[in-house]
Amino acid sequence: MISSDKIFGIFFFFQICIGLMGNFLLFILYMYVFLILPHKKKPTDVILTHLTFANTLTLVCRGVPNILLSFGISPKMGDIGCKAVLYIQRVTRSISLYTTSLQSIFQAVTITLSNSKWVWLKLKISTFIQPSLLFSWIINMVIYSEIILRNVANRNITDARSGYYAAYCKTDSPHHHIVATFLSAIFTRDLFLLSLMACSSIYMVNILFRHLKTAQRVRSTTQSSQGSPEIKATKLILMLVSCFVFFYWINAFLTVYLFTVRKNSWQLESFGNYIASCYPSICPFLLIKNENRISRINYIKTRIRIFSF
């Protein structure tokens, strides 16, 4: 009889494998466009490349330790390994949040009507993308440096305490009020970015609704408007935002619960990691499904093979 832990490990294994495959294919696509087809490069490719890289690191650092634990293998990380894994987990999670928020804001500005007061930003926003991404990496790496100071390897799996706890890592002598203050600051930051996502999403839905009403009045433009790149991109961003927010709040409630209760469980922590890995696993396939350059690249390769014979 297979135990529930091993069943969970199998699900986690397939989730990580599928997610890594999707992110790897997407990353190869962006590198191909950057190096071979630079004329097809889009401003959002830089954002999505960072998102794909962060998602890949998230899947590896969250998935591998929990898969090993599910099959009864305790990863011997040591203090350095514990700090590195937790540090990468937290930084990449924040990068994923920031890039999704930035992508939604960029798309909202892109579809801004020509008579809007934000039209001036439409012409300049592309120049802000790379500096803002670099700033995001730096600030998150600085913020989460406290993990390097506070966490150590868990050498006694039965040592349950308040604060962060996992089967391979734990908080070393936590000061509850300091940890609570830090988590409150992080939650406030996350709430601000989620609010930006919500505002930009509401704005995009409003634009789509007005666009649909205009298309219904002008019958001749209906087909072309429904298939326009801007409308497709907007619908994609709305799907990404909805997906991210859904899994974020589930994981947030689990994190708060694990922090507040006295009796901690690595099974709950693993389930929280599974939920946190859902968005990085689903995200690349949503992007690939709406990536029309893939079919064009395959068409070009097919034509090359035909003419080479």
Side-chain angles (χ1 to χ4, degrees):
M1 187 70 178
I2 301 178
S3 66
S4 58
D5 289 343
K6 290 183 178 179
I7 293 175
F8 178 78
I10 292 171
F11 276 103
F12 220 139
F13 176 77
F14 280 108
Q15 181 200 47
I16 299 304
C17 289
I18 293 171
L20 287 176
M21 180 182 66
N23 282 286
F24 179 75
L25 290 175
L26 199 60
F27 188 78
I28 292 297
L29 168 66
Y30 292 138
M31 291 301 100
Y32 185 87
V33 171
F34 288 148
L35 300 175
I36 309 300
L37 301 174
H39 60 284
K40 292 188 178 295
K41 186 170 63 175
K42 302 176 184 177
T44 55
D45 287 346
V46 177
I47 302 175
L48 296 177
T49 301
H50 282 262
L51 177 61
T52 302
F53 180 67
N55 285 344
T56 301
L57 290 178
T58 297
L59 289 171
V60 172
C61 291
R62 287 187 183 276
V64 174
N66 285 283
I67 291 172
L68 293 175
L69 288 169
S70 297
F71 288 98
I73 304 172
S74 180
K76 305 296 183 182
M77 295 184 183
D79 289 344
I80 295 177
C82 158
K83 294 174 190 291
V85 167
L86 281 184
Y87 183 70
I88 294 173
Q89 284 182 16
R90 298 299 187 266
V91 171
T92 54
R93 172 190 172 277
S94 295
I95 294 297
S96 182
L97 170 61
Y98 179 79
T99 50
T100 304
S101 178
L102 180 62
Q103 178 75 349
S104 65
I105 294 170
F106 179 86
Q107 189 60 34
V109 173
T110 300
I111 65 172
T112 298
L113 301 177
S114 56
N115 59 351
S116 171
K117 63 181 180 180
W118 298 106
V119 70
W120 64 271
L121 187 58
K122 191 173 183 178
L123 304 173
K124 297 182 178 181
I125 191 170
S126 296
T127 61
F128 300 147
I129 291 177
Q130 293 195 29
S132 65
L133 288 169
L134 179 61
F135 175 78
S136 175
W137 277 100
I138 293 174
I139 195 67
N140 281 295
M141 291 173 72
V142 172
I143 289 173
Y144 288 105
S145 61
E146 57 87 32
I147 286 177
I148 299 175
L149 303 175
R150 288 196 305 106
N151 292 278
V152 295
N154 187 7
R155 296 178 176 85
N156 180 10
I157 198 169
T158 61
D159 179 22
R161 62 177 74 191
S162 61
Y164 180 79
Y165 170 86
Y168 57 89
C169 219
K170 65 184 178 182
T171 302
D172 185 25
S173 301
H175 299 285
H176 195 82
H177 65 282
I178 296 177
V179 177
T181 302
F182 177 78
L183 289 178
S184 298
I186 294 298
F187 181 74
T188 302
R189 188 275 315 270
D190 290 358
L191 195 60
F192 172 72
L193 291 175
L194 289 169
S195 299
L196 290 179
M197 279 190 209
C199 292
S200 59
S201 298
I202 292 171
Y203 178 78
M204 286 188 285
V205 169
N206 182 47
I207 293 292
L208 284 175
F209 181 73
R210 291 162 66 180
H211 185 83
L212 181 61
K213 289 180 67 176
T214 303
Q216 288 174 345
R217 291 175 189 166
V218 186
R219 184 186 298 264
S220 61
T221 63
T222 302
Q223 282 190 333
S224 61
S225 63
Q226 288 178 342
S228 66
E230 292 80 9
I231 299 303
K232 288 183 177 179
T234 302
K235 291 179 179 178
L236 169 63
I237 301 306
L238 290 173
M239 283 193 294
L240 287 176
V241 170
S242 301
C243 183
F244 183 91
V245 171
F246 175 74
F247 291 116
Y248 172 87
W249 283 114
I250 295 178
N251 183 250
F253 287 133
L254 281 173
T255 301
V256 172
Y257 175 78
L258 286 169
F259 176 75
T260 54
V261 297
R262 291 290 176 181
K263 185 179 180 180
N264 293 291
S265 168
W266 76 264
Q267 288 90 348
L268 276 179
E269 177 66 27
S270 297
F271 181 70
N273 283 323
Y274 182 84
I275 293 297
S277 300
C278 286
Y279 176 74
S281 300
I282 296 172
C283 175
F285 295 100
L286 292 176
L287 294 170
I288 290 172
K289 180 179 179 295
N290 290 272
E291 182 55 77
N292 58 2
R293 288 175 296 182
I294 293 178
S295 58
R296 292 177 186 174
I297 290 172
N298 291 333
Y299 174 77
I300 292 171
K301 288 182 177 179
T302 303
R303 301 301 294 177
I304 291 173
R305 291 194 191 100
I306 291 174
F307 285 111
S308 63
F309 286 105

